[in-house]
Amino acid sequence: QLYDLDEDPKRKEFLDDLFGFMQKRGTPVNRIPIMAKQVLDLYTLYRLVTDKGGLVEVINKKIWREITKGLNLPTSITSAAFTLRTQYMKYLYPYECEKRALSSPGELQAAIDSNRREGRRQSFGAALFSYSPAGTPALLGAPKVPLPALSVGQVGPAHAAAALEQLRDRLDAGEPPEKKAALTAEEQQRLMQHALQHNLLAVASHFPMNIKVSSRDDRQETALNLSTNGISSINMSIEINGVVYTG
């Protein structure tokens, strides 16, 4: 099927060479990769990625959408970047290293780790609190992990990022399961502090007026009412030019 996808004379030459190389290294291609219910064109995928500078460049520059379009895959596939990266690493990256030497496995791992860390930071920030100047601030679903009581305004962006890196290093070092759970809960607390602080300030920056944020009984330490089963409620009041809004 891969040989018959088009009449490009270089297709057969490429596929013969690819399959021969994979066979020699002990990782033969025994199954045709499928994506979006169609054969994944390894020849076109390799050409598109290497034309952009190789797999590491595509990951670092986040240009998987261009690769997806070049393969004529549906744009509605939400996991296209991850799937294409995984398939490329399995079927094509060793061949790229051998034939083009556009990057090394160490550089690939560094790119993947960097992409993963950035994705975690974005997902934590977006999941905890979102704000749109044209709409209403909305607190989204919070992580269901036991957390102790905390107050807003103690952790800045740099501290939150550093804490996340430190947590990941400690978990990768082989902490016991019970200790991992405690570390994760601790990090969730720090990230929530950072997200609330950062985004409440973002809300304030869009109003040319005085804003005061406090808890229901005006004590900052009780701004978040937590239970042992996770967050049960958050009570806040926002004072804008002397008018208090509570919820």
Side-chain angles (χ1 to χ4, degrees), residues 121 156-169 187 190-191:
R121 286 195 291 268
H159 291 89
L164 182 59
E165 293 304 313
Q166 186 180 36
L167 174 72
R168 184 172 179 274
D169 292 341
E187 184 56 27
R190 293 177 183 175
L191 288 169

Side-chain angles (χ1 to χ4, degrees), residues 125-201:
L128 291 172
F129 198 99
S130 66
Y131 171 71
S132 171
T136 303
L139 189 63
L140 305 181
K144 299 299 182 181
V145 295
L147 298 176
L150 54 91
S151 61
V152 178
Q154 295 177 352
V155 180
H159 291 89
L164 182 59
E165 293 304 313
Q166 186 180 36
L167 174 72
R168 184 172 179 274
D169 292 341
R170 291 164 70 184
L171 293 182
D172 290 343
E175 297 279 13
E178 63 275 6
K179 198 166 184 179
K180 286 186 180 181
L183 290 172
T184 303
E186 174 188 334
E187 184 56 27
Q188 291 278 11
Q189 172 184 335
R190 293 177 183 175
L191 288 169
M192 176 169 286
Q193 289 174 334
H194 165 236
L196 286 171
Q197 175 193 19
H198 177 75
N199 288 286
L200 286 173
L201 290 175

Side-chain angles (χ1 to χ4, degrees), residues 202-214:
V203 172
S205 68
H206 288 279
F207 291 94
M209 55 190 74
N210 296 322
I211 295 181
K212 175 185 177 183
V213 180
S214 64

Side-chain angles (χ1 to χ4, degrees), residues 97-112:
C97 290
E98 175 71 17
K99 301 297 181 178
R100 302 288 297 272
L102 296 172
S103 64
S104 67
E107 291 171 325
L108 173 61
Q109 189 60 52
I112 293 172

